[in-house]
Amino acid sequence: MTLRSVILGTGSALPRRRVDNAELATMVDTSDEWIVERTGIRTRYVAGEGESTTTLAAEASRHALEMAGLQAADIDLIILATATPDQTFPASATTVQAALGINDCIAFDVAAVCSGFLYAMTVADNMLRGGAGKTALVIGAETFSRILDWEDRTTCVLFGDGAGAAVLRAEETPAEGGRGILASKLHADGRHNGLLHVDGGPSSTGTVGKVRMKGQDVFRHAVVNLAQVMKEVLDVAGLSTSDIDWVVPHQANARILDATARKLGLDPAQVVVTVDRHANTSAASVPLALDTAVRDGRIKQGDLVVLEAMGGGFTWGACVLRY
Ligand code: UT7
């Protein structure tokens, strides 16, 4: 038997307001046709009054706990991945902790932008297996709408708001064929800051700043890095692409999803796609897509699932697990 972190439940949350491409075309010089053809995005959700990264995160967490059949008091560790915290400090994880009514547990944020959920899961997995606790709540939550330049058509059409969560529990599982996280691989290369970043921050400009991206350059790096890190993580787990049941990728652009699947020789039907509905929700996109495919019955217990993401930094990573 081997101690592994098993996903017991997933949950997600979206803001009330849905914005379609036609509405954006009234705000900037764009069209439904351009957005669908270049990105696959048709709608995205935008947070309104009373909605924030932590309200969405708390709602997603409640759904995940419910699926897991656990109470908030069972949580030993909360890791929240976000680039859009409610406040510069304290960590949004502690706001979620209070909202869930947990008085004492470990709680902190990780900042790895679109790869944030992969980073948070990997840290949680290592902490659980290292004995820091038995049960973790791992969340990806964002309100990118609040850091978009709504006059910049090259970025404002691409992103949306939302949250996804997973409850992980350390369990002894059979070494061969057991459930849980089998391997993770993370990377970062800080030389690419200029290709995807926010042009402000507390210690530089004293302002929050807006998202800036050189989309074509990011696209090129994404396809190469994602295919590579997926191969790497499968190697570590002693598996090959033919073993995979589902890929749950970061949802940045439908063309990146297609190109990565092609590069790995995967059937596009094995790739969970939500970018059409949610757009790019940064750290929330992987857990939102995971929850979608779990709840619609595609991902079943025992399936081999690969999660992958790439984002600002650059940061990128992949994780292979038996659900
Ligand atoms: O989450 C982190 C990871 N992020 C990503 O992976 C994003 C990766 N990049 C992409 O998804 C794509 O590069 C974009 C969707 C951002 C852009 O697609 P593209 O096919 O690379 O377009 P482009 O940047 O080469 O722009 C083509 C044309 C330009 O016009 P000109 O110079 O050819 O006249 C742009 O100005 O499309 C124009 N354009 C638009 N037109 C209508 C850019 N944005 C828009 C728009 N509506 N919203």
Side-chain angles (χ1 to χ4, degrees):
M1 300 291 274
T2 305
L3 187 67
R4 294 205 181 96
S5 307
V6 178
I7 297 186
L8 295 187
T10 61
S12 55
L14 293 164
R16 290 181 298 270
R17 183 170 164 234
R18 195 174 66 186
V19 175
D20 63 16
N21 294 341
E23 186 174 342
L24 290 182
T26 66
M27 297 160 60
V28 287
D29 181 15
T30 191
S31 64
D32 178 53
E33 194 189 2
W34 190 95
I35 300 171
V36 171
E37 192 188 307
R38 300 293 179 118
T39 71
I41 299 166
R42 292 178 186 278
T43 60
R44 73 285 292 139
Y45 291 80
V46 174
E49 212 183 315
E51 293 173 323
S52 72
T53 292
T54 63
T55 67
L56 296 168
E59 189 186 333
S61 300
R62 287 190 193 99
H63 294 313
L65 282 165
E66 200 176 295
M67 189 191 283
L70 294 176
Q71 307 296 316
D74 296 319
I75 298 298
D76 302 308
L77 164 67
I78 301 174
I79 308 183
L80 191 157
T82 189
T84 48
D86 283 17
Q87 295 162 279
T88 303
F89 81 82
S92 286
T94 61
T95 309
V96 173
Q97 179 200 22
L100 295 176
I102 305 170
N103 293 335
D104 186 17
C105 72
I106 302 168
F108 60 95
D109 292 356
V110 304
V113 206
C114 300
S115 318
F117 189 75
L118 271 299
Y119 268 71
M121 263 219 343
T122 305
V123 173
D125 175 37
N126 278 279
M127 287 183 72
L128 292 183
R129 286 185 295 113
K134 186 160 174 53
T135 311
L137 182 58
V138 183
I139 312 163
E142 303 275 18
T143 43
F144 256 52
S145 64
R146 305 236 158 101
I147 56 164
L148 291 175
D149 174 351
W150 286 99
E151 293 179 356
D152 175 10
R153 68 175 184 172
T154 69
T155 51
C156 78
V157 304
L158 304 174
F159 295 92
D161 302 336
V167 174
L168 295 186
R169 192 155 66 179
E171 288 187 352
E172 290 290 343
T173 65
E176 289 293 320
R179 294 179 69 199
I181 296 176
L182 307 179
S184 303
K185 195 77 204 161
L186 300 176
H187 292 278
D189 184 349
R191 289 173 300 173
H192 301 295
N193 182 313
L195 299 182
L196 176 52
H197 67 287
V198 164
D199 61 5
S203 186
S204 55
T205 58
T207 61
V208 172
K210 302 287 183 203
V211 175
R212 306 293 171 203
M213 177 164 73
K214 296 199 165 66
Q216 264 193 22
D217 294 319
V218 179
F219 190 109
R220 271 194 293 272
H221 282 275
V223 176
V224 174
N225 289 344
L226 290 172
Q228 203 176 1
V229 75
M230 281 168 70
K231 278 194 188 133
E232 236 180 306
V233 82
L234 287 169
D235 271 357
V236 175
L239 297 164
S240 68
T241 39
S242 59
D243 297 312
I244 299 175
D245 294 303
W246 300 103
V247 177
V248 182
H250 171 50
Q251 310 282 322
N253 185 321
R255 288 187 294 135
I256 296 180
L257 305 188
D258 291 344
T260 312
R262 234 180 294 121
K263 235 174 160 34
L264 288 167
L266 288 164
D267 179 348
Q270 292 176 277
V271 180
V272 177
V273 179
T274 55
V275 68
D276 52 334
R277 283 171 284 161
H278 301 155
N280 181 346
T281 56
S282 182
S285 92
V286 169
L288 259 169
L290 177 65
D291 186 51
T292 302
V294 166
R295 284 180 193 267
D296 69 21
R298 271 179 287 176
I299 296 180
K300 296 184 184 61
Q301 228 182 72
D303 283 354
L304 198 80
V305 181
V306 175
L307 315 181
E308 48 94 327
M310 137 112 194
F314 292 145
T315 55
W316 66 103
C319 168
V320 55
L321 59 93
R322 198 172 297 284
Y323 186 76

